[in-house]
């Protein structure tokens, strides 16, 4: 069964450093998403991406965040200058068409900012 | 704006008991989709079920069953004869058809602990 692959599974970074979280969505999917889950809390939407542009973003997704689909297969989330409060699990997901088709989630990247 | 409420923060049961996890949602769309996900201690999100807003039939899959009631905006999840392996956080989520990008809105989650 096709999978969404996220790397790395765990990343530790120093406050103020830039990090890039990588995702390989399912190849024929059209919609891509990033979600965040702070430890012990709910899963929160960050951004959706369709047709090579952001289609929706939440208030969490400020100027420190950016997304890119650099080569037609990878989908990346960049945090420019990490803060302690960016420590969380980040999930990538892809979909053929949103809720009607369902979503496939990756297994997540646990980001720890020290 | 879409919203999902899971009022039960934690539930603890003894193995073989039945347990129901509640989910109440808010949406202005007429077409929407409801989901349940399981998050075991390992952290990944495991898909359990998707329902669309036009299909109110209850669904049963093994020990799992779901009760969708539009009249009360609820989509409750019942585990029959619970097992220790059912211990996890369970999230209910909503996706609206008309919202561009069709993002998922998750509830706060219910931590289910099944004791032997």
């Amino acid at each position: 069964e096709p999978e969404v692959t996220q790397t790395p599974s765990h990343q530790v970074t120093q406050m103020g450093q830039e990090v890039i979280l990588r995702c390989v969505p399912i190849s024929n999917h059209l919609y891509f998403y990033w979600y965040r889950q702070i430890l012990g809390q709910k899963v929160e939407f960050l951004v959706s991406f369709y047709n090579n542009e952001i289609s929706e973003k939440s208030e969490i997704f400020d100027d420190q965040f950016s997304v890119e689909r650099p080569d037609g297969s990878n989908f990346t989330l960049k945090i420019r200058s990490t803060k302690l409060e960016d420590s969380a699990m980040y999930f990538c997901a892809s979909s053929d068409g949103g809720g009607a088709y369902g979503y496939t989630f990756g297994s997540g990247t646990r980001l720890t900012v020290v | 704006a879409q919203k999902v409420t899971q009022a039960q923060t934690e539930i603890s049961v003894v193995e073989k008991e039945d347990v129901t996890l509640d989910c109440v949602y808010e949406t202005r769309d007429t077409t929407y989709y409801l989901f349940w996900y399981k998050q075991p201690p390992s952290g990944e999100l495991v898909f359990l079920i998707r329902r669309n807003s036009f299909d109110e039939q209850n669904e049963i899959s093994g020990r799992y069953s779901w009760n969708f009631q539009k009249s009360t905006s609820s989509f409750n999840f019942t585990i029959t004869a619970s097992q220790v392996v059912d211990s996890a956080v369970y999230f209910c989520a909503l996706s609206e058809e008309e919202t561009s990008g069709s993002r998922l809105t998750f509830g706060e989650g219910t931590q289910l602990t099944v004791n032997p």
Side-chain angles (χ1 to χ4, degrees), chain A residues 31 33 35 37 41-43 45 48 55-56 89 91 97-103 105 107, chain B residues 33 35 37 39 42-45 50 91 95 97 99-104 106-109:
Chain A
Y31 295 82
Y33 309 83
Y35 290 82
Q37 184 183 30
Q41 298 186 22
K42 70 175 179 181
V43 180
F45 168 78
S48 58
S55 50
E56 189 184 7
M89 179 78 95
F91 290 104
Y101 295 83
Y103 308 86
F105 279 85
S107 52
Chain B
Y33 302 87
F35 298 78
Y37 288 88
Q39 187 174 46
S42 49
E44 72 272 24
L45 290 169
R50 177 179 82 246
F91 290 99
S95 170
E97 177 73 8
T99 304
S100 64
S102 295
R103 63 183 164 99
L104 272 173
F106 286 81
E108 300 283 342

Side-chain angles (χ1 to χ4, degrees), chain A residues 2-113:
Chain A
E3 288 184 344
V4 173
T5 305
Q6 289 188 245
T7 54
S9 56
H10 190 185
Q11 181 153 0
V12 181
T13 190
Q14 294 222 324
M15 194 167 54
Q17 294 295 305
E18 174 184 286
V19 294
I20 297 176
L21 309 184
R22 302 180 192 280
C23 170
V24 179
I26 292 174
S27 60
N28 60 343
H29 280 184
L30 303 174
Y31 295 82
F32 313 110
Y33 309 83
W34 284 101
Y35 290 82
R36 179 183 84 174
Q37 184 183 30
I38 295 170
L39 187 63
Q41 298 186 22
K42 70 175 179 181
V43 180
E44 300 173 290
F45 168 78
L46 290 178
V47 65
S48 58
F49 193 85
Y50 170 73
N51 201 24
N52 282 319
E53 61 183 22
I54 291 174
S55 50
E56 189 184 7
K57 60 184 180 180
S58 71
E59 57 277 6
I60 303 169
F61 194 88
D62 60 22
D63 292 344
Q64 290 296 313
F65 292 91
S66 62
V67 289
E68 204 175 36
R69 189 156 161 79
D71 55 14
S73 62
N74 290 284
F75 179 51
T76 61
L77 174 69
K78 182 193 292 185
I79 309 175
R80 272 180 252 289
S81 177
T82 49
K83 308 184 191 77
L84 293 177
E85 54 265 36
D86 293 325
S87 294
M89 179 78 95
Y90 289 82
F91 290 104
C92 174
S94 69
S95 174
D96 223 350
Y101 295 83
Y103 308 86
T104 303
F105 279 85
S107 52
T109 293
R110 179 158 300 285
L111 176 67
T112 303
V113 182

Side-chain angles (χ1 to χ4, degrees), chain B residues 6-19:
Chain B
Q6 295 179 254
Q8 304 150 309
T9 306
E10 294 182 28
I11 300 176
S12 183
V13 298
V14 176
E15 210 170 15
K16 295 185 185 160
E17 282 186 25
D18 297 348
V19 57

